[in-house]
Structures are given as structure tokens and as C-alpha cells.
Amino acid sequence: MADKIRVLLTEEEVNKKISEVAAQINKDYEGKEVHLICILKGGVFFTCELAKRLTIPVSLDFMSVSSYGSGTKSSGVVKIIKDLDEPLEGKNVIIVEDIIDSGRTLAYLIEVLKQRNPKNIELCTLLDKPERRVKKQVQVKYTCFTIPDEFVVGYGLDYDQKYRNLPYIGVVEV
Ligand code: IMP
Ligand code: MG
């Protein structure tokens, strides 16, 4: 039987907020170029919608990571499944994520990517669950929505690889 999904954020709400965040990035990086790093797979829908709304010059790259350990808890040890194609030397990097939960994945990634000498690195996330943060040092520059501690799907986010394609963000009712 299909799961019941309660809508948390509609497609209109999400798209409106992405436009606002894109406008802020256009302003902050005026006269500069940005290099967006999409964290696969969850970040892909958000990255596309964000990139379409940027008017500054944009380049894109993709990275796939998985945290070691099973279950829903990330261990903090991150395995790079697919690395970037391009070097980061001298670039204005923005990491684009679907959601920041414990912050373990990003805390690790930032350390790894900093060693590649970008000009700077900022974080942009569609969703943030600050209640769950373990790695308090992770500073997020651009957040679309801060949400309570609920497991969400849609707009790239999955539950067992399903629901990434939903155009809105919802909670699977159990
Ligand atoms: P963390 O910040 O290292 O704990 O892990 C973040 C990753 O866990 C995200 O990139 C998602 O892939 C996954 N994740 C965390 N919360 C959710 C959720 O509510 N729905 C779907 N995936 C989630
Ligand atoms: Mg993810």
C-alpha cells in the first residue's frame, strides 16, 4: 500500500523561497562567479532550481558521499562515492545540500574541500533541522527552511530511495 504523505511545504512555498535565496546570492556575489557543488542525490532538485534563478556566472559540479554505518544515524565518517570533476583552486564555492541534520556529513566534507584551496566555501541548504545538530561548528550561510525534527521526503529527499521526485516536501505518516 502507498504511504500517506502529509504536506509540510508546498511546491509554491518552496519555489518562492528558493527565488528569495537566489536573489540574496546574486546580491552577495555581484561581479563574481560561483561554483556550485551539488551533493548527490538529495541536493539535485534544489541545485537545479537554485541555479536556474542565479544571474551571476555559475559553474556546477557534483559529488556523492555516504556516511559509513547503517541505519538512520550518520557516523561522521564519510566515504566519497563520486568525487568532483573540477579543481576548486581560487573558486567561490557554495555547497548545495538537501538537508542538514547532525551536520556530520558537512563537517567532514568542508574539511576535505578546504584542502583544495578554494577562495571561500559557503553552505546553502534547502532544509535545516537545528535540533539535531551534533557538529555545532557547521555554519550555514543560506537556509531556505528551518524545520522541526521530523523525517521529510520530496524535492530530492528520499525514504528508502523513494519520493525524491515529489515536487513538495512532506512527512511520511506511519
Ligand atoms: P547529517 O547532517 O550528516 O546527519 O546527514 C544529513 C543527510 O542525512 C542528508 O544529506 C540526508 O541524506 C539524510 N537525512 C537527514 N534527515 C533526513 C530526512 O528528514 N529525510 C531524508 N533524508 C534525511
Ligand atoms: Mg543528502
Side-chain angles (χ1 to χ4, degrees), residues 58-139:
V58 171
S59 52
L60 282 168
D61 207 346
F62 299 85
M63 192 163 189
S64 181
V65 296
S66 87
S67 54
Y68 278 114
S70 56
T72 50
K73 263 215 229 110
S74 67
S75 61
V77 184
V78 177
K79 185 166 91 169
I80 296 177
I81 309 282
K82 184 223 169 285
D83 205 340
L84 300 170
D85 295 333
E86 314 287 338
L88 298 183
E89 186 87 43
K91 291 179 182 165
N92 298 309
V93 170
I94 303 181
I95 300 176
V96 186
E97 255 284 33
D98 51 358
I99 189 163
I100 305 175
D101 190 36
S102 70
R104 286 191 177 102
T105 308
L106 279 170
Y108 174 85
L109 258 186
I110 290 167
E111 283 317 306
V112 170
L113 298 182
K114 264 187 188 163
Q115 290 164 22
R116 301 184 189 183
N117 298 316
K119 193 168 175 199
N120 55 61
I121 298 190
E122 298 291 357
L123 282 177
C124 178
T125 188
L126 179 59
L127 303 170
D128 189 6
K129 281 189 206 174
E131 282 170 46
R132 303 255 305 167
R133 195 77 86 257
V134 174
K135 295 285 180 183
K136 310 275 186 205
Q137 77 270 29
V138 173
Q139 297 285 327

Side-chain angles (χ1 to χ4, degrees), residues 2-4 21 39 41-42 44 50 55 60 63 69-70 77-78 92-93 96 117 134 140 143 153 163:
D3 299 301
K4 198 167 182 292
V21 168
I39 308 301
K41 306 169 190 164
V44 77
L50 181 73
T55 51
L60 282 168
M63 192 163 189
S70 56
V77 184
V78 177
N92 298 309
V93 170
V96 186
N117 298 316
V134 174
V140 194
T143 302
V153 295
Y163 306 122

